[in-house]
Amino acid sequence: PGSCNSPFSSPSQLAALERQVFDFLGYQWAPILANFLHIIIVILGLFGTIQYRPRYIVVYAIWTAIWVTWNIFIICFYLEVGGLSKDSELLTFNISRHQSWWSENGPGCVRKEASMSGIKGLDSHSYISVIGCALEYRYIEVMHSSFQILIALVGFVYACYVVSVFTEEEDSFDFIGGFDPFPLYHVNEKPTNLLFKQTYL
């Protein structure tokens, strides 16, 4: 079981941290909270694996199902499925008009600012246009979420395997009296020795 911590270690944590960084840069508050909770659950699953705590791993397995659902929603959001709009402020809790960091910093994107000083009341503002993007930002977000789903599914399968291994070990250990702190033969052994010594004297 010492090697059973792989699904909770580097790949899942690094992918979550990488996504958290870019969501922070884009001020995407809903994904930021979801990513933070995901990182906590991944650490909990890792701890449960190292410390042989099947319940913690079960929590991780349940969370992976929620995490997959969340990422499917993100995919639908950026692909504008079911009336969703990628231009809405849903992911920022309607606090700001920020979009994905990739919308202005994707591969090949050139960001240009045009002054709007000619418009009354907007002297300090500028219009930002992005051109030349090799890949539209929504597809980058979709790929991010698809990768998270893939890792989560692998983690779910491996978590179920680890729980089954731990359960089998507990059952076999209990069968041979491993969890009995005072086996019966210890209780009977001491009086027999005492009687033997008294007879000898």
Side-chain angles (χ1 to χ4, degrees), residues 42-62:
V42 169
I43 293 173
L44 186 67
L46 177 60
F47 176 79
T49 305
I50 295 174
Q51 297 295 322
Y52 301 94
R53 303 287 180 87
R55 291 182 182 178
Y56 291 171
I57 306 175
V58 170
V59 170
Y60 170 83
I62 294 172

Side-chain angles (χ1 to χ4, degrees), residues 86-101:
K86 61 182 175 59
D87 297 321
S88 70
E89 301 171 14
L90 186 62
L91 298 184
T92 59
F93 296 135
N94 296 322
I95 296 175
S96 64
R97 293 181 177 272
H98 290 93
Q99 290 184 330
S100 169
W101 181 83

Side-chain angles (χ1 to χ4, degrees), residues 17-71:
L17 287 172
E18 179 265 346
R19 187 171 179 179
Q20 183 75 309
V21 169
F22 290 114
D23 285 336
F24 258 117
L25 292 172
Y27 300 98
Q28 304 291 289
W29 304 116
I32 286 171
L33 292 175
N35 293 332
F36 179 75
L37 186 57
H38 179 63
I39 293 170
I40 296 298
I41 299 297
V42 169
I43 293 173
L44 186 67
L46 177 60
F47 176 79
T49 305
I50 295 174
Q51 297 295 322
Y52 301 94
R53 303 287 180 87
R55 291 182 182 178
Y56 291 171
I57 306 175
V58 170
V59 170
Y60 170 83
I62 294 172
W63 169 253
T64 55
I66 301 172
W67 185 241
V68 167
T69 304
W70 166 255
N71 281 280

Side-chain angles (χ1 to χ4, degrees), residues 27-181:
Y27 300 98
Q28 304 291 289
W29 304 116
I32 286 171
L33 292 175
N35 293 332
F36 179 75
L37 186 57
H38 179 63
I39 293 170
I40 296 298
I41 299 297
V42 169
I43 293 173
L44 186 67
L46 177 60
F47 176 79
T49 305
I50 295 174
Q51 297 295 322
Y52 301 94
R53 303 287 180 87
R55 291 182 182 178
Y56 291 171
I57 306 175
V58 170
V59 170
Y60 170 83
I62 294 172
W63 169 253
T64 55
I66 301 172
W67 185 241
V68 167
T69 304
W70 166 255
N71 281 280
I72 291 174
F73 166 75
I74 294 295
I75 291 174
C76 293
F77 177 82
Y78 282 106
L79 295 181
E80 300 184 325
V81 177
L84 295 170
S85 174
K86 61 182 175 59
D87 297 321
S88 70
E89 301 171 14
L90 186 62
L91 298 184
T92 59
F93 296 135
N94 296 322
I95 296 175
S96 64
R97 293 181 177 272
H98 290 93
Q99 290 184 330
S100 169
W101 181 83
W102 296 103
S103 63
E104 297 180 7
N105 301 277
C109 291
V110 178
R111 185 174 181 268
K112 292 185 176 180
E113 294 187 13
S115 176
M116 300 180 67
S117 57
I119 302 177
K120 185 178 180 180
L122 294 176
D123 292 339
S124 60
H125 293 265
S126 61
Y127 175 76
I128 300 173
S129 62
V130 181
I131 59 174
C133 294
L135 186 63
E136 194 174 348
Y137 75 92
R138 62 175 178 167
Y139 297 122
I140 298 177
E141 292 288 358
V142 167
M143 287 191 295
H144 267 95
S145 293
S146 300
F147 184 64
Q148 291 289 336
I149 290 173
L150 178 62
I151 293 178
L153 291 176
V154 173
F156 176 80
V157 172
Y158 211 94
C160 293
Y161 167 73
V162 171
V163 170
S164 66
V165 169
F166 286 176
T167 303
E168 288 177 2
E169 287 183 355
E170 287 181 356
D171 290 343
S172 61
F173 193 58
D174 186 51
F175 177 75
I176 62 175
F179 290 125
D180 189 356

